[in-house]
Amino acid sequence: MSAPVYLDHAATTPVDPRVIAAMLAVMGPDSGHGNPAAVQHASGQRAGAAVEAARGQVARLIGAEPREIVFTSGATEANNLAIKGAGAFYQARGRHLVTALTEHPAVLEPAAALEAQGWSVTRLRPAADGRIHADQLAAALRPDTALVSLMHVNNETGLIQDIAALGTVCRARDVRFHVDAAQSAGRLPIDVRALAVDYLSLSAHKCYGPQGIGALYVRDRPRAGLAAQMHGGGQERGRRAGTLAVHQIVGMGAAAAILIGEREAEQARLAALMTRLETGLADIPDLLWIGADAPRVAGIRNVAIGGVARESLLASLWDTVAVATGSACSAADGEPSAVLQALGLDPVTAQGALRLSPGRWTSERDIDRVAAALRGVITRLRHIAAGEPVDDLPGPTGLPPAYSAAVTDWFRRLSRVGHLAPAPNVLQGAAGEPRQGAWVYWDLAVAGRRIVQARFRAWGCPATLAAAAWCAERVEGQDCAAAAALTGAEMAAALGLHGAQRSAALIVEDALNNALAKRTRHALSAQDATCPS
Ligand SMILES: *Cc1c(COP(=O)(O)O)cnc(C)c1O
């Protein structure tokens, strides 16, 4: 079995081997690279020269001057430095910040931190096409607005903001403008002058460089103000203290240099791959490709898959495809994407969304494997929800380690998915709903005191489906009273459910009890349904 296809480049990209080679050259006892601040010896000077060469490469990628690049630990730090640093510098003008609901947490959280200090924060809601429009931004600016922070390319949807138009609005009102370009630097041409931005955040590990290094572009002429957030040895012209991470910086420079030469061809190749994937899935009903008609980059697509629970979708893909991960098995933890909801998707649709993000080494063969896997998993999960038996549809070979061996086993088999035709001796009962993260529907055929057949339909995480399958086998042939006495705790123990997975067992149990509670009414109306209370 080959390794899963890596389709999560929006989360992080593998480091390009050429980048690794450049980094290794400045590491180790024979590399002759010291602390770049130690200008009194050759090793320090050599390191300083390597840093400055890399600074030039990063600057060139975005049309900036080398002195306008401040190295940070990543885009999170760059965003914090820009928002808190510009905030502190310009707060005398007013303490109002404008950002958007669809920003990355690395912008939303520093914004919230300013808010906690008494700032007023406006969070714009994009139009249905994902765009923040220039007039919408203009209307949000106030005399006391100190800073606007909007991202270039969204990390969940790949949608592109018209930064040049938004920058023009800010400049006309003399408001500083910060752009989180973590997802765009590897994908779109960037020219900070043409975009009219004052600060721009970059991250190396989103474009085939190492993790733990990024940069903030800070416009020099006219100078954009910035209060340092890290104080120490005065590195980076006092804007970010701390010994420069020479190997990381060299890696980021090498990654930028590769992009300058190869980005355009790479994006064309990724666009063709995404088209291949979409074409491969075109006949599957109820797929909603987010932002289908809006400007977006090729390497990030989000697709909302109707009728499947994301937990089971992701878990089923575990051995085949690495895609944007969901969270633990519960409605409370598995919050649907706030970004997708801000675009107008209802929480249930947003919950079934998957981010597909191919990259530099993704092949056509990989894409075909992903399409086949998605098709199989979607079909199987939709069958389970519709009560169509899945005995002929192969289950996944493995599940994530969060699920016990017992859950994995039951989830793979899932016998007794199905319906029973309505009849006087058939008891039906349901519990849960998509908003609760799961639902289960039982059909129980009873004869006398016994349950002679148990069939279920279900939608939810693997623990829900496994618990229903376990329960179906357990109660078939059993006395009604014994079935009613079955507890969620017993189910949880038998299946090794833990944490939030236990709520799955409770929904299965509730549904079963709802079915069994109907036995009296059925017994009164039909002679052959005599499961007494
Ligand atoms: C990844 C990402 C960040 C955070 O970057 P780090 O370098 O991991 O700190 C910020 N913003 C966006 C849009 C991102 O995609």
Side-chain angles (χ1 to χ4, degrees):
M1 181 101 195
S2 38
V5 176
Y6 185 76
L7 275 202
D8 202 14
H9 291 79
T12 198
T13 49
V15 183
D16 191 293
R18 292 167 288 181
V19 170
I20 297 175
M23 293 174 72
L24 287 175
V26 297
M27 297 167 77
D30 301 326
S31 74
H33 283 77
N35 186 324
V39 291
Q40 67 278 14
H41 55 63
S43 292
Q45 291 200 357
R46 215 173 285 129
V51 165
E52 291 319 308
R55 197 188 301 280
Q57 291 168 315
V58 173
R60 205 169 324 124
L61 180 68
I62 60 170
E65 295 296 325
R67 67 175 176 278
E68 296 175 308
I69 300 298
V70 178
F71 285 112
T72 64
S73 62
T76 299
E77 188 190 331
N79 288 346
N80 272 269
L81 177 56
I83 292 168
K84 295 173 186 168
F89 192 92
Y90 290 107
Q91 61 181 333
R93 299 175 50 155
R95 308 217 303 163
H96 177 230
L97 171 73
V98 177
T99 182
L101 286 168
T102 43
E103 293 297 311
H104 191 276
V107 163
L108 293 175
E109 291 302 317
L114 289 187
E115 200 170 33
Q117 292 167 19
W119 280 62
S120 141
V121 177
T122 300
R123 297 173 182 86
L124 300 173
R125 179 181 296 278
D129 65 359
R131 285 229 162 182
I132 306 283
H133 292 277
D135 47 357
Q136 182 189 5
L137 175 60
L141 297 182
R142 312 191 315 213
D144 64 338
T145 306
L147 182 69
V148 171
S149 177
L150 295 169
M151 73 200 328
H152 195 183
V153 166
N154 185 274
N155 50 298
E156 289 190 39
T157 59
L159 293 171
I160 304 169
Q161 295 298 345
D162 186 350
I163 294 300
L166 299 169
T168 303
V169 169
C170 293
R171 195 134 303 170
R173 303 276 287 268
D174 195 29
V175 171
R176 298 288 88 80
F177 186 30
H178 165 248
V179 171
D180 178 350
Q183 293 291 352
S184 58
R187 300 184 161 96
L188 296 174
I190 294 182
D191 177 347
V192 285
R193 311 274 165 225
L195 294 180
V197 307
D198 300 296
Y199 315 91
L200 184 121
S201 299
L202 300 171
S203 175
H205 77 96
K206 302 293 176 70
C207 47
Y208 309 95
Q211 295 168 340
I213 185 74
L216 181 67
Y217 156 81
V218 183
R219 188 165 60 96
D220 204 45
R221 264 187 225 136
R223 176 166 304 185
L226 190 75
Q229 302 298 302
M230 194 80 94
H231 302 94
Q235 288 90 345
E236 298 296 80
R237 295 164 65 213
R239 295 171 295 184
R240 199 275 191 180
T243 298
L244 292 168
V246 178
H247 61 302
Q248 303 288 80
I249 290 169
V250 165
M252 183 169 187
I258 292 170
L259 284 173
I260 291 168
E262 301 180 3
R263 180 182 48 216
E264 227 174 308
E266 182 164 283
Q267 292 307 302
R269 200 184 69 84
L270 290 177
L273 285 182
M274 282 312 303
T275 303
R276 188 181 180 93
L277 183 57
E278 281 179 50
T279 309
L281 301 174
D283 62 323
I284 298 181
D286 201 8
L287 295 190
L288 176 63
W289 295 90
I290 308 301
D293 302 318
R296 53 188 161 73
V297 296
I300 308 174
R301 279 320 295 278
N302 209 302
V303 60
I305 301 171
V308 304
R310 184 176 64 168
E311 292 292 341
S312 280
L313 180 71
L314 287 172
S316 301
L317 293 171
W318 176 256
D319 275 350
T320 341
V321 195
V323 274
T325 50
S327 38
C329 178
S330 93
D333 292 343
E335 282 300 320
S337 154
V339 168
L340 296 184
Q341 291 190 74
L343 296 183
L345 263 69
D346 66 88
V348 172
T349 307
Q351 198 269 357
L354 205 61
R355 182 178 69 183
L356 306 164
S357 181
R360 190 167 286 171
W361 295 280
T362 310
S363 67
E364 290 189 346
R365 206 170 147 264
D366 291 336
I367 291 295
D368 295 345
R369 236 183 107 197
V370 170
L374 273 174
R375 172 183 301 279
V377 169
I378 292 168
T379 305
R380 183 169 189 264
L381 295 177
R382 285 182 178 171
H383 268 61
I384 295 163
E388 295 167 40
V390 293
D391 309 71
D392 296 337
L393 303 178
T397 48
L399 289 187
Y403 298 104
S404 69
V407 167
T408 304
D409 216 44
W410 283 99
F411 181 73
R412 261 153 61 174
R413 285 192 277 123
L414 289 185
S415 49
R416 297 187 176 76
V417 169
H419 287 282
L420 296 176
N425 71 321
V426 171
L427 308 179
Q428 298 181 321
E433 54 167 333
R435 277 168 182 280
Q436 280 174 261
W439 58 257
V440 178
Y441 201 110
W442 285 106
D443 284 345
L444 306 174
V446 299
R449 289 167 167 272
R450 298 177 79 74
I451 298 170
V452 290
Q453 240 186 342
R455 292 292 177 271
F456 70 94
R457 281 165 270 167
W459 180 97
C461 71
T464 308
L465 306 186
W470 179 88
C471 208
E473 183 179 290
R474 175 69 181 267
V475 303
E476 219 174 70
Q478 210 177 34
D479 190 272
C480 286
L486 186 64
T487 64
E490 201 179 326
M491 226 181 287
L495 287 162
L497 306 182
H498 55 86
Q501 295 174 359
R502 287 165 178 272
S503 63
L506 294 181
I507 287 176
V508 172
E509 183 198 3
D510 281 354
L512 189 68
N513 285 336
N514 287 341
L516 291 169
K518 291 182 180 156
R519 63 196 185 275
T520 316
R521 184 152 49 80
H522 279 265
L524 292 175
S525 64
Q527 291 165 340
D528 57 347
T530 50
C531 211
S533 37

